[in-house]
Amino acid sequence: MFDLIIRNANLPDGRQGLDIGLAGGRIAAIEKSIAATAGEEIDASGRLVSPPFCDPHFHMDATLSLGMPRMNVSGTLLEGIGLWGELRPLLTKEALVERALRYCDLAVSQGLLYIRSHVDTSDPRLVTAEALLEVKEKVAPYINLQLVAFPQDGYYRAPDGIASLERALDMGVDIVGGIPHFERTMEDGARSVEALCRVAADRGLPVDMHCDETDDPMSRHIETLAAQTVRFGLQGRVAGSHLTSMHSMDNYYVSKLIPLMAEAEINVIPNPLINIMLQGRHDTYPKRRGMTRVRELMAAGLNVSFGHDCVMDPWYSMGSGDMLEVAHMAIHVAQMAGIEDKHKIFDAITVNSAKTMGLEGYGLEVGCKADLIVLQAADVIEALRLKANRLFVIKSGKVISRTAPRISELFLGGRPASIDIGSDYVPSAPGR
Ligand SMILES: [Zn+2]
């Protein structure tokens, strides 16, 4: 009756010791002890089973290009954009596909099965869009990949910005992007937001803009984005990525802005690893963190999800396709280390991201898709602390990746012979 049963699982919401039965690509049962047997069984042994991770903000055309053609010396966003501009004319479709597929292999091993990637449309050759549309089809059996038409060099500022973005959408790219803070003037930025929201409304597509990725407290394109979202009736279908200027904005102004964003049901996508690395670069000390106001936005009821943004590319030399690493950084930068806080942070890389991406059948309830991960951690709190090992990654009821548990042998005479890095030493305090 079942294709696969996971025994003795702990769930992200705190339920413990449950069996999960998968059949026909869906979750068919979640019960204390499923009497039936299945072709394959996994003993979770009281470990956390979660829906897979979702990354709502990535750049798959740039990933794994570190060092091509050179390294980013200043470490700034602007040098990164310049460096990408040097690399772009050298890109070939074959090399783009090969790098993206290699990243997707890594993503699967990390339990990351849903990715929204921006695709740079600035080069009118559009090899980036061609390549990632091919990748999207190739990885569809194991990764749900959404693509955003992203005018990296500016919708108005790049010579072919407008036409190239339209052509990418004609080719089948799913979402309308933008970068208002990189247009030549604040006015051009605001006009680009309006024009791109109109394109999305006309084509019936969602919007996901790089918005206010700057330390400038006067960069206020998110206000325009919220207003145009309401004007064009796009509520709930628009994402504001980064929003780092909100970190530096005047508090009174933010008290007006956040309700406007809530009215427009803006999906907020901070990118903690990249924000902490790139923002505040022009500061001496004190040095701003630069990430947007996560706690306040969540408290106002906005849907906040975290993106990985970059892995080994012109902007970020680090990264490992690990959304728990992203969440771990978010806990630190947002200073959200309480028990409730950590649950909210875990939601931001799972259910909130799924909402941002509009995923159907995502979750851990009967009837949801049989896409699950088993982690080497007892619960959400431990998974975040340890960036826990992904023991099993399951897609449509089938194991597509497996990693051996991390158990260290000890040779200490009089001390235990081994230690499970998750559970063997922790205090019993709640929310340990
Ligand atoms: Zn980005």
Side-chain angles (χ1 to χ4, degrees):
M1 163 179 188
F2 297 107
D3 304 319
L4 175 68
I5 296 175
I6 305 171
R7 304 269 184 202
N8 193 14
N10 293 348
L11 274 44
D13 63 9
R15 284 179 285 169
Q16 293 190 333
L18 295 174
D19 292 356
I20 304 169
L22 310 178
R26 296 272 164 177
I27 298 175
I30 305 177
E31 292 166 17
K32 202 69 190 163
S33 301
I34 294 176
T37 55
E40 190 175 0
E41 300 210 357
I42 291 172
D43 182 6
S45 310
R47 284 166 168 154
L48 177 66
V49 175
S50 163
F53 298 122
C54 312
D55 178 2
H57 187 115
F58 194 64
H59 294 265
M60 207 174 277
D61 49 4
T63 195
L64 306 182
S65 69
L66 185 67
M68 297 161 55
R70 61 181 178 82
M71 301 292 275
N72 183 336
V73 179
S74 67
T76 59
L77 171 67
L78 294 179
E79 185 177 343
I81 293 175
L83 182 46
W84 174 242
E86 290 171 38
L87 173 57
R88 201 165 38 207
L90 312 174
L91 295 173
T92 64
K93 184 181 163 190
E94 293 67 32
L96 280 157
V97 169
E98 190 272 333
R99 276 197 277 113
L101 289 177
R102 247 189 299 137
Y103 181 76
C104 289
D105 295 342
L106 173 67
V108 167
S109 75
Q110 303 290 351
L112 170 55
L113 301 189
Y114 304 92
I115 302 174
R116 175 181 285 184
S117 174
H118 293 255
V119 185
D120 184 5
T121 58
S122 305
D123 181 343
R125 292 185 304 145
L126 288 176
V127 279
T128 46
E130 258 182 54
L132 288 197
L133 282 163
E134 184 179 318
V135 170
K136 178 180 167 159
E137 223 178 277
K138 279 199 161 128
V139 302
Y142 48 94
I143 285 180
N144 177 330
L145 178 60
Q146 298 181 349
L147 300 177
V148 186
F150 173 47
Q152 170 79 72
D153 289 358
Y155 183 62
Y156 290 127
R157 189 170 166 177
D160 297 297
I162 297 173
S164 287
L165 182 129
E166 292 280 355
R167 273 177 42 233
L169 296 174
D170 290 342
M171 287 163 68
V173 171
D174 315 280
I175 298 161
V176 179
I179 186 164
H181 55 276
F182 194 69
E183 302 293 348
R184 286 195 176 86
T185 64
M186 246 0 138
E187 290 72 24
D188 280 0
R191 282 199 304 125
S192 78
V193 171
E194 180 185 354
L196 290 160
C197 284
R198 189 187 300 279
V199 168
D202 288 349
R203 289 178 178 259
L205 298 177
V207 173
D208 189 335
M209 281 190 202
H210 286 65
C211 193
D212 298 329
E213 188 183 4
T214 157
D215 294 313
D216 177 1
M218 300 307 288
S219 184
R220 293 175 170 187
H221 296 299
I222 179 55
E223 178 189 78
T224 308
L225 183 59
Q228 296 297 346
T229 298
V230 172
R231 179 182 165 204
F232 285 106
L234 295 168
Q235 288 94 328
R237 290 162 48 200
V238 173
S241 283
H242 291 294
L243 307 181
T244 50
S245 67
M246 288 185 73
H247 185 93
S248 299
M249 280 173 186
D250 172 71
N251 289 330
Y252 177 79
Y253 173 70
V254 171
S255 76
K256 180 195 170 200
L257 174 64
I258 290 182
L260 281 178
M261 293 167 65
E263 181 196 3
E265 299 167 46
I266 298 287
N267 294 292
V268 176
I269 310 180
N271 295 284
L273 295 168
I274 275 53
N275 298 155
I276 199 69
M277 185 63 96
L278 295 184
Q279 300 309 130
R281 286 277 176 153
H282 297 265
D283 295 354
T284 53
Y285 290 94
K287 205 182 268 288
R288 284 169 286 180
R289 294 167 188 234
M291 190 169 77
T292 196
R293 304 186 186 205
V294 170
R295 185 188 290 282
E296 292 75 10
L297 288 160
M298 283 179 168
L302 281 129
N303 184 49
V304 178
S305 50
F306 296 123
H308 200 318
D309 201 359
C310 301
V311 172
M312 303 185 83
D313 70 9
W315 296 273
Y316 190 59
S317 61
M318 314 263 295
S320 57
D322 183 357
M323 294 309 293
L324 285 172
E325 188 169 294
V326 173
H328 194 270
M329 181 60 78
I331 288 170
H332 290 81
V333 180
Q335 299 180 327
M336 289 180 64
I339 296 172
E340 286 300 311
D341 290 340
K342 285 178 183 157
H343 279 275
K344 287 179 187 160
I345 297 276
F346 193 83
D347 285 348
I349 56 168
T350 51
V351 288
N352 297 5
S353 302
K355 186 176 174 194
T356 298
M357 294 175 68
L359 299 178
E360 183 273 318
Y362 179 91
L364 225 173
E365 301 296 334
V366 171
C368 288
K369 286 188 176 163
D371 301 350
L372 295 167
I373 55 177
V374 183
L375 294 123
Q376 191 182 349
D379 55 26
V380 161
I381 304 283
E382 194 165 88
L384 288 165
R385 181 174 64 81
L386 296 168
K387 292 166 261 174
N389 211 354
R390 272 122 271 206
L391 298 172
F392 295 92
V393 178
I394 296 158
K395 174 74 184 177
S396 303
K398 290 195 176 67
V399 174
I400 58 169
S401 173
R402 188 170 65 190
T403 306
R406 188 174 154 199
I407 311 273
S408 299
E409 284 183 77
L410 299 176
F411 311 99
L412 298 174
R415 299 299 303 159
S418 70
I419 184 169
D420 177 324
I421 55 120
S423 56
D424 281 349
Y425 58 92
V426 294
S428 58
R432 64 202 184 283

